[in-house]
Amino acid sequence: MPRKATKNDLDSLLLSRVRLGIMSALAAGDDLDFAALKEVIDTTDGNLGAHLRRLEDAGMIRARKRFIGRKPNTSYRITAGGREAFQGYIEDLATLLGFQAKDAG
Amino acid sequence: MTDQAESSDGRTDTAEAAEALSFVRGVMDRTQQKAEDGGGVMIWWGVLTALAVAATWGVALLGWSSGPIMWGIWIGHNVLGWAGTLWAVRRSGALSPVGRQDLATFAVFTVAIWCFMVGAFGSGAVEGWALFTMAQLLIGMVMAFSAILERKASLAVIGLVLIVTVPVLLMASPKWAWIGSSVLCTGAMLVGGVIAALIWRKRRAAQGD
């Protein structure tokens, strides 16, 4: 059962570029299916599937399985906790850069 | 893509932070562009509008222009238009919050035009010959204002052309208002669709896709 995402969970999870890409795409794209994510992230099916599962297990994204016509389709959305943690991560990066720029100036 | 950037101690220095932010921005931009591919949808609406206008003219020339036939043509136009729009959205597998807002705006705008047409037609407040010109004004306003907000100059120009030609057509004869507005509304949607599709292709080419 997915548990609530925490800041530390995301910080460690987002050290992977694929997972960072997935979270970025879902933060921008709201609702993306596997094929769309694969196109945006540019990775293999197996790699993408494994990283999606890990983010889903951490409760940062939510999967929705359905059929479009006769074809199975899985789409993904970022959870509220995942979005909050992702925004915190981005703010931390920006803050780090801001402090460094101020120090350098 | 691999996980080469995974750091062993979990710390991010300035260069890594800058690179990570740049990567996040790039992915978000690509996602937005994918989700906002509206060119095909606009062309679809343009083609349907052209067919509906042609059908309206055809039945009028043949003397079959009864209310139910006219409403049937335009209700069919809307049903097919929305069916194609929803199919395109589902097929693309992506819809950004911005794209969702655009679609919601388009839906509200379509309903507003329908309410106006029904009200104007039913009450007789607007002469029949001026209905297309009134619709042209609404389409022009929506195109111009939304394009200005999204900083799409070419689409804003099309919207402004639709707006400024309204008084000219209303002052001209009813025949010219009917013909001019039909042609302008259909042309604007087709040209707008082509421009949107070209912008999207240019962005894709720039990304090397």
Side-chain angles (χ1 to χ4, degrees):
Chain A
M1 173 142 181
R3 61 185 171 77
K4 192 172 185 283
T6 66
K7 187 174 180 303
N8 284 342
D9 287 338
L10 193 70
D11 282 354
S12 60
L13 278 170
L14 294 189
L15 291 174
S16 155
R17 271 304 143 84
V18 177
R19 291 194 290 273
L20 180 61
I22 292 168
M23 292 298 286
S24 307
L26 293 178
D30 198 27
D31 190 337
L32 301 175
D33 70 9
F34 190 90
L37 271 172
K38 191 183 160 197
E39 191 180 327
V40 171
I41 310 288
D42 190 22
T43 187
T44 62
D45 285 5
N47 196 26
L48 180 60
H51 287 292
L52 282 167
R53 168 98 32 120
R54 203 161 157 195
L55 286 170
E56 199 181 344
D57 288 345
M60 290 174 190
I61 63 171
R62 192 172 55 238
R64 185 173 65 143
K65 295 180 190 299
R66 60 183 170 167
F67 279 87
I68 295 180
R70 290 181 178 179
K71 290 183 181 174
N73 178 277
T74 307
S75 62
Y76 297 88
R77 292 188 79 131
I78 195 166
T79 61
R83 186 178 293 278
E84 193 181 327
F86 176 72
Q87 283 171 347
Y89 180 80
I90 297 300
E91 281 167 16
D92 285 349
L93 289 178
T95 303
L96 174 64
L97 288 171
F99 277 133
Q100 295 286 344
K102 195 182 285 181
D103 293 344
Chain B
M1 184 183 292
T2 64
D3 283 343
Q4 287 170 355
E6 191 139 357
S7 167
S8 57
D9 60 3
R11 296 183 64 190
T12 309
D13 63 14
T14 310
E16 283 176 336
E19 204 263 335
L21 274 180
S22 168
F23 172 74
V24 167
R25 192 174 296 121
V27 171
M28 291 179 103
D29 284 348
R30 283 201 298 277
T31 309
Q32 290 279 352
Q33 283 162 20
K34 177 170 177 54
E36 288 164 20
D37 167 26
V41 170
M42 282 189 75
I43 292 171
W44 172 239
W45 277 98
V47 168
L48 281 178
T49 306
L51 290 173
V53 169
T56 303
W57 274 98
V59 295
L61 287 173
L62 291 169
W64 302 340
S65 54
S66 66
I69 290 177
M70 291 297 188
W71 286 116
I73 289 170
W74 288 97
I75 287 170
H77 163 267
N78 254 256
V79 169
L80 287 174
W82 277 105
T85 303
L86 295 176
W87 176 80
V89 167
R90 292 186 77 177
R91 195 180 68 117
S92 76
L95 191 60
S96 73
V98 176
R100 203 178 288 277
Q101 283 171 12
D102 286 349
L103 208 57
T105 306
F106 187 61
V108 170
F109 150 69
T110 312
V111 171
I113 285 195
W114 271 96
C115 289
F116 169 78
M117 296 290 253
V118 170
F121 204 59
S123 67
V126 176
E127 293 281 345
W129 59 266
L131 281 178
F132 270 155
T133 314
M134 291 294 108
Q136 175 190 328
L137 179 63
L138 289 172
I139 292 171
M141 285 169 70
V142 171
M143 275 185 95
F145 292 138
S146 60
I148 288 168
L149 287 174
E150 291 175 24
R151 296 179 182 175
K152 291 177 180 167
S154 45
L155 292 178
V157 168
I158 295 175
L160 290 172
V161 167
L162 288 182
I163 293 170
V164 298
T165 49
V166 165
V168 177
L169 288 168
L170 287 177
M171 284 187 286
S173 68
K175 181 184 163 190
W176 280 109
W178 183 257
I179 295 172
S181 293
S182 314
V183 170
L184 279 170
C185 289
T186 307
M189 290 193 76
L190 278 171
V191 172
V194 170
I195 289 173
L198 287 174
I199 290 171
W200 175 70
R201 275 193 178 191
K202 197 175 169 184
R203 283 179 178 171
R204 296 269 296 191
Q207 290 168 11
D209 289 337

